Amino acid sequence: MTGSEEDNNAELTASPQSEKKCRGEKHVSFPPDEEIVSGFAERKDLLRDVDSITLKEIIASYKQSCEKHQVEPKPKLLEQLQIITDLHSRVRCLDLKGERLDYQACESLEGLLKLLQYEFINLQEAELDENGASALFDMISYYESATHLNISCNKRIGALGWRSLSHLIQQSSCLWRLDACNTPVLEYPAQAMSRALQSSRLAVLHFEKTCVSGRPLFTLVSALKLNTALQELYLADNDLNSFQDSMQLGDLLKYNHSLRVLDLSNNLISDTGLEDICEGLKVQKTGLRKLVLWNNRLTFKGMTHLARALPSVASLETLNLGQNILHNKGIQRLKDALIVNRSLLQLGLASTKITCEGAVALAEFIAESPRIQRLDVRKNLIRAGGLMALSLALQINHSLIRVDLDKNVKKEKEEFLVETQKTVLQEIWNNCMRNAAAAKHRMTSSAHSDQG
């Protein structure tokens, strides 16, 4: 995933440094018009004439800013500045993870951010407070400082911080990824993010463990139904339930056809919630490519809903159902739908309580599928009989290039069956290597043909 880096068209506003902040309110003083215009021109010159700036000057600028705000320069930051070798493009990373950034420390960073732009700014576990977060996000917005921003594990951002973050997301022409994991997104933050997502260029959003269940999810989904930029949404570990939350996710899939990845790992969707999600999945003709339902209390009963949706889904390439108690019955209910579906490339079934009987059903699917490339069946009790079925299917199949199986053989009643397992595991690996080599040859031949 890459983000666009278009030319900046910043508003003619005062620099973030001109804003005075106090807890509970923000006062903004605007200088005369000629100072606004000259400040804007100065910023453009800084970003354009990077050849005229030396690393020594950048370090000096940061130290002077620290002195002005009466804070000590961060040794970790100074070490990172010392190893920069290219000032002609964005620096790879500004890593401030675990560094305590109070308001003054955040303000001191302007001496750096006005001279350097980064691909990735990591503010994880930085103990940002409301005023500091607001000041820093304003700077990052004003100077187009990052294409990827991580603010995870900052629980005291406050209303001002979320408002500034919303403005950053709306205004930035280069920010394409935001990580805000383990950062509570309650009612006001959800409203701020909803406003931002209506017009942002953000392509990837990580909202794992953010308490977005209930009304916050409703607020976010309302905006995402109309969003055409976001391509990857990660909502793991949010206690999303099988009632209102699943209905909202189903509606999201009904109305949003730009989303490519939806990760719902470690939630409480269950079979009832899966039915709502599948109703939305049925209308995904050209959109969703990856759906992760890992550890969602699904059972074989929920596979009935999924079996109804899969034949009509033309875009889904990756489906992960791992860590759900599906049993063999669940695989049998899915088998025919998997055979009919012609888009699936990767199927995750690790730790789903399947045995040889389930492996035989999967072998029937593999033998019929011209597209499947990877199958994960680790942490299942598949013995010699199931492995032999998979091996026989691979003799017919020419697309499967990876089968994830447990390395250690399973216990058998007869010793010769243990040896059979070892032999068949090697056969499966050899057939996957055969398919991989053939696929590589086809790609090489196609590339040569295109060049010709």
Side-chain angles (χ1 to χ4, degrees):
M1 189 65 60
T2 58
S4 61
E5 297 187 17
E6 304 168 4
D7 292 337
N8 305 328
N9 290 311
E11 297 175 330
L12 297 182
T13 59
S15 164
Q17 188 141 349
S18 68
E19 300 178 5
K20 300 178 181 178
K21 302 176 179 65
C22 63
R23 180 165 297 279
E25 59 178 337
K26 180 192 290 187
H27 300 288
V28 181
S29 60
F30 294 95
D33 290 346
E34 63 273 12
E35 290 185 26
I36 296 178
V37 174
S38 63
F40 177 77
E42 178 185 5
R43 174 198 174 203
K44 300 296 284 188
D45 289 341
L46 284 170
L47 298 181
R48 184 176 62 248
D49 300 330
V50 70
D51 288 338
S52 64
I53 302 172
T54 67
L55 188 57
K56 186 176 180 180
E57 290 170 334
I58 292 171
I59 295 173
S61 174
Y62 170 58
K63 288 182 176 179
Q64 288 170 7
S65 186
C66 288
E67 184 177 353
K68 175 182 176 181
H69 293 96
Q70 300 180 336
V71 295
E72 288 293 321
K74 297 287 184 184
K76 183 177 181 179
L77 196 158
L78 291 173
E79 289 176 7
Q80 294 173 45
L81 290 176
Q82 293 287 355
I83 61 174
I84 295 175
T85 57
D86 183 10
L87 297 176
H88 294 77
S89 57
R90 287 185 180 272
V91 181
R92 190 185 66 82
C93 178
L94 172 59
D95 185 6
L96 294 172
K97 178 180 178 181
E99 295 288 322
R100 185 176 182 275
L101 298 176
D102 59 16
Y103 173 64
Q104 296 298 333
C106 288
E107 285 283 7
S108 71
L109 291 174
E110 186 168 16
L112 173 65
L113 296 180
K114 68 182 182 182
L115 300 177
L116 284 179
Q117 291 177 316
Y118 288 87
E119 293 178 8
F120 176 37
I121 294 181
N122 188 359
L123 303 175
Q124 186 176 354
E125 299 174 350
E127 299 183 45
L128 293 171
D129 60 23
E130 185 170 7
N131 293 319
S134 179
L136 190 50
F137 296 157
D138 285 347
M139 290 177 209
I140 293 171
S141 174
Y142 186 78
Y143 296 114
E144 293 281 15
S145 300
T147 61
H148 174 192
L149 177 64
N150 187 345
I151 62 165
S152 300
C153 304
N154 286 287
K155 300 183 179 182
R156 298 186 296 118
I157 290 176
L160 287 179
W162 282 106
R163 188 186 308 164
S164 294
L165 181 62
S166 174
H167 181 268
L168 162 62
I169 295 169
Q170 286 177 288
Q171 297 298 319
S172 178
S173 63
C174 64
L175 185 67
W176 66 272
R177 173 172 170 174
L178 174 67
D179 298 353
C181 310
N182 200 23
T183 301
V185 181
L186 303 177
E187 192 159 344
Y188 179 78
Q191 292 171 1
M193 287 299 299
S194 179
R195 288 193 296 272
L197 290 170
Q198 290 176 15
S199 59
S200 78
R201 296 176 177 85
L202 208 62
V204 180
L205 179 59
H206 280 264
F207 258 21
E208 293 98 330
K209 206 172 183 180
T210 50
C211 308
V212 295
S213 176
R215 187 162 186 81
L217 182 65
F218 171 79
T219 304
L220 287 172
V221 168
S222 297
L224 290 175
K225 286 179 184 178
L226 305 175
N227 181 292
T228 59
L230 194 69
Q231 296 187 28
E232 299 183 21
L233 179 60
Y234 298 85
L235 296 174
D237 297 289
N238 277 301
D239 290 333
L240 301 179
N241 61 51
S242 60
F243 303 107
Q244 294 93 339
D245 293 340
S246 296
M247 289 175 61
Q248 292 303 321
L249 294 169
D251 281 348
L252 174 62
L253 293 177
K254 284 180 183 177
Y255 295 102
N256 184 311
H257 297 272
S258 302
L259 203 61
R260 298 292 180 262
V261 176
L262 180 59
D263 187 342
L264 302 174
S265 301
N266 302 322
N267 283 297
L268 309 172
I269 301 298
S270 79
D271 297 330
T272 306
L274 183 59
E275 183 176 9
D276 291 319
I277 292 173
C278 287
E279 287 301 312
L281 192 61
K282 288 177 183 177
V283 300
Q284 287 284 324
K285 302 299 182 185
T286 58
L288 195 67
R289 295 178 185 170
K290 182 176 182 179
L291 177 61
V292 181
L293 293 167
W294 174 275
N295 188 27
N296 265 282
R297 300 187 179 181
L298 305 179
T299 72
F300 69 91
K301 295 178 182 178
M303 298 305 100
T304 301
H305 309 307
L306 198 53
R308 290 174 185 153
L310 282 177
S312 58
V313 179
S315 60
L316 191 66
E317 296 177 349
T318 300
L319 176 62
N320 192 337
L321 298 169
Q323 198 64 39
N324 290 293
I325 305 176
L326 306 184
H327 293 295
N328 298 327
K329 204 169 185 178
I331 307 304
Q332 290 165 345
R333 291 191 180 190
L334 276 179
K335 182 190 69 175
D336 291 339
L338 290 171
I339 292 173
V340 173
N341 178 279
R342 284 293 187 254
S343 64
L344 205 60
L345 301 177
Q346 301 185 71
L347 178 60
L349 294 168
S351 191
T352 51
K353 303 292 183 182
I354 60 178
T355 63
C356 292
E357 187 179 345
V360 170
L362 287 172
E364 293 178 36
F365 155 60
I366 292 169
E368 296 284 344
S369 174
R371 295 264 293 167
I372 189 69
Q373 295 178 2
R374 181 182 177 185
L375 174 66
D376 186 353
V377 287
R378 287 172 293 180
K379 297 185 179 179
N380 286 297
L381 196 58
I382 301 176
R383 294 191 172 92
L387 294 176
M388 290 175 68
L390 293 174
S391 179
L392 289 171
L394 267 164
Q395 293 179 21
I396 303 171
N397 177 283
H398 297 286
S399 63
L400 190 60
I401 61 176
R402 178 171 172 178
V403 179
D404 294 298
L405 291 158
D406 296 326
K407 293 181 180 179
N408 298 326
V409 296
K410 304 295 190 298
K411 292 182 179 179
E412 298 274 8
K413 292 181 179 179
E414 302 292 341
E415 185 62 31
F416 79 92
L417 291 175
V418 174
E419 294 303 315
T420 301
Q421 283 190 47
K422 295 178 182 178
T423 302
V424 176
L425 282 169
Q426 184 63 43
E427 290 175 357
I428 290 172
W429 187 84
N430 290 340
N431 286 328
C432 287
M433 291 301 99
R434 177 205 67 199
N435 289 347
K440 185 177 181 180
H441 176 72
R442 287 193 297 270
M443 290 177 64
T444 304
S445 300
S446 177
H448 289 164
S449 177
D450 292 342
Q451 290 175 1

Coordinates of all heavy atoms in Angstrom, one line a residue, residues 44-80:
K44 N 7.3 27.1 2.5 CA 7.4 26.5 1.2 C 8.9 26.5 0.8 O 9.4 25.6 0.2 CB 6.6 27.3 0.2 CG 5.1 27.3 0.5 CD 4.5 25.9 0.4 CE 4.3 25.5 -1.0 NZ 3.6 24.2 -1.1
D45 N 9.6 27.6 1.1 CA 11.0 27.7 0.8 C 11.8 26.6 1.6 O 12.7 26.0 1.0 CB 11.6 29.1 1.1 CG 11.1 30.1 0.2 OD1 10.6 29.7 -0.9 OD2 11.1 31.3 0.5
L46 N 11.5 26.4 2.8 CA 12.2 25.4 3.6 C 12.0 24.0 3.0 O 13.0 23.2 2.9 CB 11.6 25.4 5.1 CG 12.1 26.5 6.0 CD1 11.3 26.5 7.2 CD2 13.6 26.5 6.2
L47 N 10.8 23.7 2.6 CA 10.5 22.4 2.0 C 11.1 22.2 0.6 O 11.5 21.1 0.2 CB 9.0 22.1 2.0 CG 8.4 22.1 3.4 CD1 6.9 21.8 3.3 CD2 9.0 21.1 4.3
R48 N 11.2 23.3 -0.1 CA 11.7 23.2 -1.5 C 13.2 23.3 -1.6 O 13.8 22.5 -2.3 CB 11.1 24.4 -2.3 CG 11.4 24.3 -3.8 CD 10.7 25.4 -4.5 NE 11.1 26.7 -4.1 CZ 10.3 27.6 -3.5 NH1 9.1 27.3 -3.2 NH2 10.8 28.8 -3.1
D49 N 13.8 24.2 -0.8 CA 15.3 24.4 -0.9 C 16.0 23.6 0.1 O 16.8 24.1 0.9 CB 15.6 25.9 -0.7 CG 14.9 26.8 -1.8 OD1 14.7 26.2 -2.9 OD2 14.6 27.9 -1.5
V50 N 15.8 22.3 0.1 CA 16.4 21.4 1.1 C 17.9 21.3 0.9 O 18.7 21.0 1.8 CB 15.8 20.0 1.0 CG1 16.2 19.3 -0.2 CG2 16.1 19.2 2.3
D51 N 18.4 21.6 -0.3 CA 19.8 21.6 -0.6 C 20.6 22.6 0.2 O 21.8 22.4 0.5 CB 20.1 21.9 -2.1 CG 19.7 20.7 -3.0 OD1 19.6 19.6 -2.4 OD2 19.4 20.9 -4.2
S52 N 19.9 23.6 0.6 CA 20.6 24.7 1.4 C 20.7 24.4 2.9 O 21.2 25.2 3.6 CB 19.9 26.0 1.2 OG 18.5 26.0 1.7
I53 N 20.1 23.3 3.3 CA 20.0 23.0 4.8 C 21.0 21.9 5.0 O 21.1 20.9 4.3 CB 18.6 22.6 5.2 CG1 17.6 23.7 4.9 CG2 18.6 22.2 6.7 CD1 16.2 23.3 5.1
T54 N 21.8 22.0 6.1 CA 22.7 21.0 6.5 C 22.2 20.3 7.7 O 21.3 20.8 8.5 CB 24.1 21.6 6.8 OG1 24.0 22.4 8.0 CG2 24.6 22.4 5.6
L55 N 22.7 19.1 8.0 CA 22.3 18.3 9.1 C 22.7 19.0 10.4 O 21.9 19.0 11.4 CB 23.0 16.9 9.1 CG 22.5 15.9 10.1 CD1 21.0 15.7 10.1 CD2 23.3 14.6 10.0
K56 N 23.8 19.7 10.4 CA 24.3 20.5 11.5 C 23.3 21.6 11.9 O 23.0 21.8 13.1 CB 25.6 21.1 11.2 CG 26.3 21.8 12.4 CD 27.7 22.2 12.1 CE 28.3 23.0 13.3 NZ 29.7 23.4 12.9
E57 N 22.7 22.2 10.9 CA 21.8 23.3 11.1 C 20.4 22.7 11.6 O 19.8 23.4 12.5 CB 21.5 24.1 9.8 CG 22.7 24.9 9.3 CD 22.5 25.4 7.9 OE1 21.8 24.8 7.1 OE2 23.1 26.5 7.6
I58 N 20.1 21.6 11.2 CA 18.8 20.9 11.7 C 19.0 20.6 13.1 O 18.1 20.9 13.9 CB 18.5 19.7 10.8 CG1 18.2 20.1 9.4 CG2 17.4 18.9 11.5 CD1 18.0 18.9 8.4
I59 N 20.1 20.0 13.5 CA 20.3 19.7 14.9 C 20.3 20.9 15.8 O 19.8 21.0 16.9 CB 21.6 18.9 15.1 CG1 21.5 17.5 14.4 CG2 22.0 18.7 16.5 CD1 22.8 16.7 14.3
A60 N 21.0 22.0 15.3 CA 21.1 23.2 16.0 C 19.7 23.8 16.2 O 19.3 24.4 17.2 CB 22.0 24.2 15.3
S61 N 18.8 23.8 15.1 CA 17.5 24.3 15.2 C 16.7 23.6 16.3 O 15.9 24.2 17.0 CB 16.8 24.1 13.8 OG 15.4 24.5 13.9
Y62 N 16.8 22.3 16.4 CA 16.1 21.5 17.4 C 16.6 21.9 18.8 O 15.8 22.1 19.7 CB 16.3 20.0 17.1 CG 15.8 19.1 18.3 CD1 14.4 19.2 18.7 CD2 16.6 18.3 19.0 CE1 14.0 18.4 19.8 CE2 16.2 17.5 20.0 CZ 14.8 17.6 20.4 OH 14.4 16.8 21.5
K63 N 17.9 22.0 19.0 CA 18.4 22.3 20.3 C 18.0 23.7 20.7 O 17.7 24.0 21.9 CB 20.0 22.2 20.2 CG 20.5 20.8 20.2 CD 22.0 20.8 20.2 CE 22.5 19.3 20.3 NZ 24.0 19.3 20.3
Q64 N 18.0 24.7 19.7 CA 17.5 26.0 20.1 C 16.1 26.0 20.5 O 15.7 26.8 21.4 CB 17.7 26.9 18.9 CG 19.2 27.3 18.6 CD 19.4 27.9 17.2 OE1 18.4 28.3 16.5 NE2 20.6 28.1 16.8
S65 N 15.3 25.2 19.8 CA 13.8 25.1 20.1 C 13.7 24.5 21.5 O 12.8 25.0 22.3 CB 13.1 24.3 19.1 OG 11.7 24.3 19.3
C66 N 14.5 23.5 21.9 CA 14.4 23.0 23.2 C 14.8 24.0 24.3 O 14.2 24.1 25.3 CB 15.4 21.8 23.3 SG 14.8 20.3 22.4
E67 N 15.8 24.8 24.0 CA 16.2 25.8 24.9 C 15.1 26.9 25.1 O 14.9 27.3 26.2 CB 17.5 26.5 24.4 CG 18.1 27.6 25.4 CD 19.4 28.2 24.8 OE1 19.9 27.7 23.8 OE2 19.9 29.1 25.5
K68 N 14.5 27.2 24.0 CA 13.4 28.2 24.1 C 12.3 27.7 25.0 O 11.6 28.5 25.7 CB 12.9 28.5 22.6 CG 11.7 29.4 22.6 CD 11.2 29.6 21.1 CE 9.9 30.4 21.1 NZ 9.5 30.6 19.7
H69 N 12.0 26.4 24.9 CA 10.8 25.9 25.6 C 11.3 25.2 26.9 O 10.5 24.5 27.6 CB 10.1 24.9 24.8 CG 9.4 25.5 23.6 ND1 9.9 25.5 22.3 CD2 8.2 26.1 23.5 CE1 9.1 26.1 21.5 NE2 8.0 26.5 22.2
Q70 N 12.6 25.4 27.3 CA 13.1 25.0 28.6 C 12.9 23.5 28.8 O 12.5 23.0 29.8 CB 12.5 25.8 29.7 CG 12.7 27.3 29.6 CD 12.1 28.1 30.7 OE1 11.1 27.6 31.3 NE2 12.6 29.2 31.0
V71 N 13.3 22.7 27.8 CA 13.4 21.2 27.9 C 14.7 20.7 27.4 O 15.4 21.4 26.6 CB 12.2 20.6 27.1 CG1 10.9 21.0 27.7 CG2 12.3 20.9 25.6
E72 N 15.1 19.6 27.9 CA 16.3 18.9 27.4 C 16.1 18.2 26.1 O 15.0 17.6 25.9 CB 16.8 17.9 28.5 CG 17.4 18.5 29.7 CD 18.6 19.3 29.5 OE1 19.5 18.8 28.7 OE2 18.8 20.4 30.1
P73 N 17.0 18.4 25.2 CA 16.9 17.6 23.9 C 16.8 16.1 24.2 O 17.5 15.6 25.1 CB 18.2 18.0 23.1 CG 18.6 19.3 23.7 CD 18.2 19.2 25.2
K74 N 16.0 15.4 23.4 CA 15.9 14.0 23.6 C 17.1 13.2 23.0 O 17.4 13.3 21.8 CB 14.6 13.5 22.9 CG 13.3 14.0 23.4 CD 13.0 13.4 24.7 CE 11.6 13.9 25.2 NZ 11.3 13.4 26.6
P75 N 17.9 12.5 23.9 CA 19.1 11.8 23.4 C 18.7 10.9 22.2 O 19.5 10.7 21.3 CB 19.6 11.1 24.6 CG 19.1 11.9 25.8 CD 17.8 12.4 25.3
K76 N 17.6 10.2 22.4 CA 17.1 9.2 21.3 C 16.9 9.9 20.0 O 17.3 9.4 19.0 CB 15.9 8.5 21.8 CG 15.3 7.4 20.9 CD 14.1 6.8 21.5 CE 13.5 5.7 20.5 NZ 12.4 5.0 21.1
L77 N 16.4 11.1 20.1 CA 16.1 11.9 18.8 C 17.4 12.3 18.2 O 17.6 12.3 17.0 CB 15.2 13.0 19.1 CG 14.5 13.7 18.0 CD1 13.3 14.5 18.5 CD2 15.4 14.7 17.3
L78 N 18.3 12.8 19.0 CA 19.6 13.3 18.6 C 20.4 12.2 17.9 O 21.1 12.4 16.9 CB 20.4 13.9 19.7 CG 19.9 15.2 20.3 CD1 20.7 15.6 21.5 CD2 20.0 16.3 19.2
E79 N 20.3 11.0 18.5 CA 21.0 9.8 17.9 C 20.5 9.5 16.5 O 21.2 9.2 15.5 CB 20.9 8.6 18.8 CG 21.6 8.7 20.1 CD 21.4 7.5 21.0 OE1 20.7 6.5 20.5 OE2 21.8 7.5 22.1
Q80 N 19.1 9.6 16.3 CA 18.5 9.4 15.0 C 18.9 10.5 14.0 O 19.1 10.1 12.8 CB 17.0 9.3 15.2 CG 16.5 8.2 16.0 CD 15.0 8.2 16.3 OE1 14.2 8.5 15.4 NE2 14.6 7.9 17.5

